[in-house]
Amino acid sequence: MKLHRLELTGFGPFRERQSVDFDAFDDDGLFLISGRTGAGKSSILDGVSFALYGSVPRYDGGDRRLRSDHSFLTDPTEVRLEFTVGGTRWRVTRAPEYERPAKRGGGLTLEPARAELEEWVDGAWVGRAAKQREVGIALDEVLGLSAQQFQQVILLAQNKFSRFLLAPNAERQQLLRTLFGTRRFETYKEALEERRRDAQKRLDEGSTRVRTLLDVAEREITEHGLHPADGGEPPAEADVLARTSAVERALVRAEYRVEARGNERALATTRADAAVAEHRRLLEVARRRADLQTARDDLAAREAETPEVAALRARVERARAADALRAPVESAVRAAGEWSAAQESRRAAEGEWVAAGGSADDDLPAVIEDLTGRIARAQAAAEEERDAAALTDAQRLRREDLAEVDAALDALDAALAAVPERRQRVATDLAETRAVAGRHDDLAGARAELATRLDAARSLERLTPSAAAADAAYAEANARSAAASAHVGELLRRRLRGYAGELAASLVDGEPCTVCGATAHPRPAAHDLAHVTDDDLAAAERDRDEAAAAERDAAQAAAAAREAIAAAAATAGERDVDALATALADLDADLTAARAARDRLDGLEKAAAEIDELEATAQGEAVQLRQRAGALREEIAAAEGALASARRAVDAARGDYDSVAARIAVDDDHRRLAGRLLEARRHEQTRREAADAADRDRDERLADSAFSGPADVLDALLPAAELTRVSERIDAHAAALAAAKARAFELELASVDETLDPGAVEAAADAAAAADEARTAAIAAEADAAGVATGLRDLLHRIETANGAVATQTEEAAAVTRLADTVAGRAPNTMKMDLETFVLAAELEEIVAAANLRLAEMSSGRYTLRHSDAKQARGAASGLSIEVLDAHTGRLRSPQSLSGGETFLASLALALGLAEVVTSRAGGIRLDTLFIDEGFGSLDPETLELAMRTLDELRAGGRVVGVISHVEAMKDQIPAQLVVEATPEGPSVVRQEALSPAAG
């Protein structure tokens, strides 16, 4: 990493813009930043740190103190730094938060902090990030170093130079942890410790489960009497193996009990089956004897019904004989009825014929023949009559069509006459509608813009009160932050006064002061009784930091509110909400009209086209209608001649009747009556002959039967359903009588040798019930014994499984516990060093080795740093101690025993070694620029020369080293200088002096 140019404006002691060209020192390689105390030498390094990280190494609270107190209210504050990393040139610009005059309304407003990152690409700066967070993320990737690492490897800041050397182990561990990011090893240790606790917890839970299962099993053994017969001493509660063995033996006894109960159940089942079989046998004997008595009673009942059934059988035989004569008897009756009906029909027909003008003595065939000839002749005339009627209807339809055609021609002529006026009206409406619709897009764009302005105006009204509240909150937070900072300063001053008072209280006249060495003490400091403790100071600093954080949050909120108001005001313009709303409503009305006109436009254009189309269509239809009218008139004239000829023929055929059809109807009716009478006479003759034949056949059949006449036959007949019912009754009686005889015979044979004592069935039932109860009890006893054995078997299996799991968990817990204890620095770790400390100790060894390369030369071989991993007393952190080997005495010394100059040399060597190791861990970043702030004033000339030689070596490879010091000897040895001078008016300026400034 190489710095090129730094610009400071309104920053620290600098009011006007001050520029530092680091490239000008490339040829020298070593330059001095000098100036009087308080002039602002360290502020140059503060500017570098602020530009890259937004913070400065000398103080950590709030960035508002970075603004120059010499700046006027209107002056800006800004830091700009150009640098190169990995061949890419960057420029970062930062400004802290500060107050400036408000542009409107008077008073002060808060200028928010800002940041910008640019990259030099093809001869121009290209923006890469423009927000503080985005700039910070981008610089983290570019630099590869945190602010803490940067201050340790590039910017060796004032008050932090010797911190790493003299820090106690705990503080050194915290610093190394930050630089090397080893907190993950602490996480590994905590994770292993958690695994150790989990493993031990699982082991304890497994052991508890085993004991619980054994307790349950032993309760089961006791409850069911499965202890050994000798009643020996039970195993100890802690002896899990012995208790498990006892459960196994109890299971053997339980299984033997199951076998015994099974034998008892089998014997009881055999006895119960025998008792049930005997009871069933006796029940079967009793049932057969009862069935025999029932069969005897049934046979007697069937034999008692025999006379009645014999009478029914005789009646059925007579009915069947009568049924054989049913057909001739019924045929004779039916033939007589048909003859009588034929006589009635003939008489009715004669009456109708006579009533129509005929005579009973007429020759009906001749009459029918004459009427048929007359009807044939009249039908031809009837056809012409129908044709004449059809012609008349057709003429009427033609005249109606002609009238409709004439009316349509009149309507078309009227419509064609109105076309020019209608065309002009539609054209006018179309032109007006196009004009209104053409404004739609312009109105829509204006409406969107006006709606945006109205929303912005409403947002402005809503945001104004919240912005005022945010400004008030920021002012209040600013006051609290200032008060908290002042309180910390007051506590520090009181604490210093307290130290001075304590020191003054220990002074004795004539004895040297431990600070200045003087033996005279003319003005000893007064002691402040209200002593300020570390807790008081820490609490005040926390309050200050919290107040500063609250102030930053309030400032950001106020700035955001002001930005929102400015954006809303810029968008809304100068019109208020009411005016914008009214304008928007008017614009909406115009837009609605334009939208409606656009919707009507297509319809009007179609209407204009339809007028032309309808005119052409109407003209064509008028031509067709005129042609149709002429054709109809010709058809009407031709049809009138044919109609007159047909009417003359019809009049001749009609005679005195209203129509030819009426004459035909009268003749057809007479012919129908004559034909009906002729047919009735013929049918009467046929029916008389059939009746005579039926009577002769009936009489012949009755003469050969046992019946006296037709009436006797009809009386003997039975309805089919009754005949079927009586026949089924006879058949059923015969079948039932035969079955009763067979059943009674069968039961008589089966009961020949059987006897049944009174009460034998009840006694057998009691015996069967008792045997069943004994079997049920035996089954229940066997089931109980099997359930106990199954439960013990399951418990034993679960006990054995749990014991196996406990054995596995014991091995796992032992391994995890040993690993966790080793990583945490507990036994068997003999060094008592945890994992993170072990890793950091390795890093520290490399740092010390790199530092000794320079310290040996700077101290002329006298001092060598040693890393010590010796255990510390009273549980203090061990493994990160640093000792100094003094070659003059051959003894190890504490770094705190070194003099001021020796401490500076050792700290410088250690800082440079730390820088080399950290940069190698950060990806091998090349450090082309290095700064060292103060410390050279404590060196004697010879040691200063050694230190200068070391600094001179740091220039190798093109590195530029900047040194901040007010030592006069260094001004003579380092000609390239940055001189910081305070002007009489107060602000400081930077004057750059270089023997051979680099181009660029």
Side-chain angles (χ1 to χ4, degrees), residues 339-389:
W339 180 29
S340 176
Q343 289 176 335
E344 290 296 327
S345 297
R346 188 259 309 161
R347 285 192 289 270
E350 285 181 350
E352 291 177 353
W353 173 251
V354 172
S359 173
D361 297 330
D362 288 338
D363 185 1
L364 294 178
V367 171
I368 291 172
E369 182 178 359
D370 180 58
L371 289 173
T372 301
R374 289 167 56 184
I375 291 171
R377 290 188 298 272
Q379 284 177 344
E383 184 67 28
E384 292 183 356
E385 184 180 41
R386 285 192 295 272
D387 292 341

Side-chain angles (χ1 to χ4, degrees), residues 300-328:
R302 295 292 178 267
E303 290 176 345
E305 294 173 353
T306 300
E308 178 186 357
V309 171
L312 291 175
R313 184 177 291 107
R315 184 179 178 188
V316 167
E317 291 174 354
R318 180 176 173 79
R320 287 174 177 166
D323 189 60
L325 298 173
R326 179 198 297 270

Side-chain angles (χ1 to χ4, degrees), residues 385-569:
E385 184 180 41
R386 285 192 295 272
D387 292 341
L391 286 174
T392 302
D393 292 338
Q395 285 291 81
R396 179 178 55 78
L397 293 175
R398 290 188 187 97
R399 289 190 176 91
E400 290 176 355
D401 289 346
L402 181 60
E404 290 177 358
V405 169
D406 291 339
L409 281 171
D410 295 339
L412 284 175
D413 292 340
L416 288 172
V419 165
E421 179 183 357
R422 182 180 176 189
R423 182 183 288 116
Q424 180 62 34
R425 186 169 60 254
V426 170
T428 302
D429 195 7
L430 182 59
E432 293 175 353
T433 303
R434 281 174 177 164
V436 176
R439 300 179 57 205
H440 178 273
D441 293 341
D442 295 338
L443 290 173
R447 199 266 178 206
E449 179 183 358
L450 193 58
T452 302
R453 294 176 60 191
L454 178 58
D455 292 340
R458 288 172 176 165
S459 299
L460 184 61
E461 288 185 348
R462 185 178 65 257
L463 291 173
T464 300
S466 61
D471 286 338
Y474 171 58
E476 183 180 353
N478 186 11
R480 286 198 299 271
S481 177
S485 297
H487 182 56
V488 171
E490 177 60 24
L491 289 179
L492 287 172
R493 288 189 292 273
R494 286 174 54 192
R495 185 169 186 178
L496 291 175
R497 289 197 300 271
Y499 288 154
E502 292 177 0
L503 182 61
S506 64
L507 294 177
V508 178
D509 290 336
E511 295 184 2
C513 174
T514 58
V515 176
C516 62
T519 57
H521 319 295
R523 290 188 304 276
H527 187 271
D528 189 353
L529 296 179
H531 180 61
V532 178
T533 65
D534 289 342
D535 293 339
D536 296 336
L537 189 58
E541 289 176 342
R542 283 195 301 273
D543 293 341
R544 177 201 62 194
D545 294 341
E546 292 174 358
E551 180 189 9
R552 285 194 299 273
D553 294 341
Q556 292 175 357
R562 286 192 295 275
E563 290 178 0
I565 287 179

Side-chain angles (χ1 to χ4, degrees), residues 557-598:
R562 286 192 295 275
E563 290 178 0
I565 287 179
T571 303
E574 298 180 355
R575 302 172 70 179
D576 59 11
V577 173
D578 294 337
L580 289 172
T582 301
L584 184 62
D586 296 339
L587 195 59
D588 283 339
D590 294 341
L591 184 60
T592 301
R595 189 178 295 113
R598 189 170 62 177

Side-chain angles (χ1 to χ4, degrees), residues 189-207:
K189 181 182 73 173
E190 293 173 356
L192 281 172
E193 180 62 21
E194 182 66 22
R195 288 183 59 186
R196 184 195 65 78
R197 288 193 295 268
D198 291 344
Q200 187 61 44
K201 181 180 178 182
R202 289 193 298 271
L203 178 59
D204 295 341
E205 291 174 350
S207 300

Side-chain angles (χ1 to χ4, degrees), residues 826-850:
R826 299 188 294 267
N829 187 339
T830 58
M831 297 300 295
K832 304 299 182 182
M833 187 186 305
D834 61 22
L835 179 61
E836 183 186 24
T837 304
F838 179 80
V839 174
L840 292 178
E843 300 288 359
L844 184 58
E845 286 182 355
E846 289 192 32
I847 294 169
V848 168

Side-chain angles (χ1 to χ4, degrees), residues 23 48 141 175 179 211 340 350 352 426 490 508 622 705 748 793 948 974:
D23 289 341
V48 173
E141 296 179 358
L175 180 60
L179 293 175
R211 290 192 294 272
S340 176
E350 285 181 350
E352 291 177 353
V426 170
E490 177 60 24
V508 178
S705 69
E748 289 287 356
R793 191 179 298 107
M948 289 298 297
I974 304 176

